[in-house]
Amino acid sequence: CCGGSCITACTGCQSCDGSSCADDDNECNSSACEECNNGVCEDSCDPDKCESCISGTCVVCEGTGETCCDGTCCRTGPDGECSTPTGDNPTMCTNTSFGNCCNGHDNCYWTCSSDPDHKSECDVAFSDCMTDVCDALEGVEWVVCFAPCTAWRLVYWIAVELVGQDAYDYDQECACCLE
């Protein structure tokens, strides 16, 4: 009963404030970032601002340092790493690093484009770059490393063709949003 008259019963996260019911944030779970809104405990973090609750505090992009752009947590550009489990030089030969090819591919994905062929163009340029790396081998290194180099080029190209769409979509969403 509120105000001693038993006319109004406070509900949810409201408590009696003299003669009427009022929202009381103390009735909500502060460690879950809840606040009272019209008698209902609600999440106080705003997903449109990329906020989530960590240890009772609303944190943007889970504290990763990423930037929120239209409700998506975005890193601010390519990280300069070849995003494969085998790194940029899977053959371990001296002159078979695909590092520059990976960086070029990442930068291409991070270039905002409305062209429906953009991903394919990025992937073909990646493949061509890796082909150039393998074709530049000479002498003993060509004998030892050419076949594994071309095999890994094919593996990397197939990977971006088969499973690269999500990475491309994320990079495009962020690149275009952050422009």
Side-chain angles (χ1 to χ4, degrees):
C1 294
C2 188
S5 63
C6 291
I7 296 173
T8 305
C10 296
T11 60
C13 57
Q14 293 183 326
S15 61
C16 187
D17 181 19
S19 61
S20 63
C21 295
D23 287 347
D24 185 354
D25 288 338
N26 291 327
E27 297 295 322
C28 296
N29 184 352
S30 63
S31 66
C33 301
E34 290 181 341
E35 60 186 21
C36 190
N37 186 13
N38 294 321
V40 177
C41 289
E42 295 179 346
D43 187 353
S44 61
C45 299
D46 186 351
D48 290 337
K49 295 180 181 175
C50 304
E51 293 179 335
S52 59
C53 185
I54 298 178
S55 301
T57 304
C58 293
V59 177
V60 174
C61 295
E62 298 180 359
T64 61
E66 294 177 335
T67 301
C68 183
C69 196
D70 292 340
T72 298
C73 291
C74 294
R75 59 184 196 273
T76 55
D79 59 11
E81 299 289 325
C82 204
S83 55
T84 68
T86 54
D88 65 8
N89 192 357
T91 68
M92 306 298 265
C93 294
T94 303
N95 294 307
T96 57
S97 172
F98 296 145
N100 288 336
C101 304
C102 287
N103 290 336
H105 187 249
D106 289 349
N107 288 331
C108 189
Y109 273 22
W110 266 93
T111 302
C112 180
S113 176
S114 59
D115 181 351
D117 296 327
H118 185 249
K119 180 188 180 302
S120 178
E121 291 167 0
C122 293
D123 294 347
V124 167
F126 181 48
S127 178
D128 289 348
C129 180
M130 292 184 292
T131 297
D132 291 346
V133 168
C134 298
D135 286 349
L137 296 173
E138 297 176 338
V140 173
E141 194 171 35
W142 184 89
V143 172
V144 174
C145 301
F146 182 77
C149 185
T150 56
W152 279 107
R153 180 205 62 81
L154 184 60
V155 168
Y156 280 25
W157 182 76
I158 289 171
V160 298
E161 285 294 305
L162 294 180
V163 296
Q165 189 66 51
D166 287 346
Y168 177 79
D169 292 344
Y170 168 84
D171 288 355
Q172 282 295 292
E173 180 178 1
C174 292
C176 294
C177 184
L178 294 172
E179 256 189 345

